[in-house]
Amino acid sequence: MSYTLLVNKSHPLTSSYVPPCLAEAHIPFDTSAHDEKTLMEKTAAKAAAKLFHQAASDNITLMGVSGYRSYKRQESLYRNALARSSSAVAPPGTSEHQTGLALDISCASLNFELEEAFAYTKEGKWLKTNAPLYGFILRYPRRKEHITQYPWEPWHIRFVGKTLSLYLSLTGLTLEEYHQMLSNPRGNL
């Protein structure tokens, strides 16, 4: 599996795509045990466990809300969102959760909800600073919505590996900009 895999509205996954090595992410989740949301791609799950362990060592309590999400589950969430006239849910095939590399995180002060206010909590600030050290990026940053085509989500992290996460964090590039840079070696973004 390529940890640099780009998944978005222009680069969807097929309905049959399932990550090759899903494993339980040994982190606290706001859901019952053995729910598909507690799964992640094996290497990403190990990195998430290390991230959460360090958070606990720093007296930061993070809670996993959603890891892996099958195409079928995303389809159901999308249909429900459309019925509520909400555009906040990605169409099936375009969610990074289907890769097993994405993880939504929240905290007790927000009742484990996924809200922009997470960015201003001590947990959100800690995550933004420390996620790249464990191979994760904040996938949908503020003021990059026109590039990612998704709203700002300070709770959504994506495993890309430590080298790339540090590079993207230091440069402020999104995964889309990184892929564009690879396809245009002259560096004209």
Side-chain angles (χ1 to χ4, degrees), residues 84-183:
R84 296 186 324 268
S85 299
S86 172
S87 61
V89 177
T94 67
S95 171
E96 291 190 318
H97 288 280
Q98 190 180 343
T99 67
L101 299 172
L103 178 63
D104 290 338
I105 297 173
S106 192
C107 59
S109 66
L110 295 177
N111 296 317
F112 310 115
E113 296 295 324
L114 301 176
E115 299 176 5
E116 289 180 0
F118 180 70
Y120 308 109
T121 64
K122 67 180 180 178
E123 294 87 356
K125 291 173 184 176
W126 185 93
L127 184 66
K128 181 178 182 178
T129 300
N130 291 277
L133 303 174
Y134 295 88
F136 292 94
I137 57 172
L138 293 180
R139 181 63 177 90
Y140 304 117
R142 185 179 225 166
R143 292 184 280 284
K144 294 280 187 156
E145 297 89 341
H146 63 289
I147 296 168
T148 65
Q149 299 301 306
Y150 287 99
W152 177 43
E153 292 187 359
W155 62 82
H156 181 100
I157 61 174
R158 158 67 193 274
F159 185 77
V160 294
K162 196 180 290 187
T163 302
L164 184 56
S165 67
L166 291 170
Y167 175 75
L168 294 177
S169 177
L170 290 171
T171 61
L173 294 175
T174 64
L175 198 53
E176 283 81 3
E177 290 169 310
Y178 174 74
H179 276 269
Q180 186 178 357
M181 188 175 69
L182 292 179
S183 66

Side-chain angles (χ1 to χ4, degrees), residues 59-71:
N59 294 313
I60 298 293
T61 304
L62 300 176
M63 182 69 70
V65 175
S66 184
Y68 172 69
R69 199 178 298 147
S70 67
Y71 184 95

Side-chain angles (χ1 to χ4, degrees), residues 69-89:
R69 199 178 298 147
S70 67
Y71 184 95
K72 185 176 181 174
R73 174 79 177 127
Q74 188 68 30
E75 190 172 45
S76 174
L77 292 172
Y78 184 67
R79 270 195 248 116
N80 290 340
L82 289 179
R84 296 186 324 268
S85 299
S86 172
S87 61
V89 177

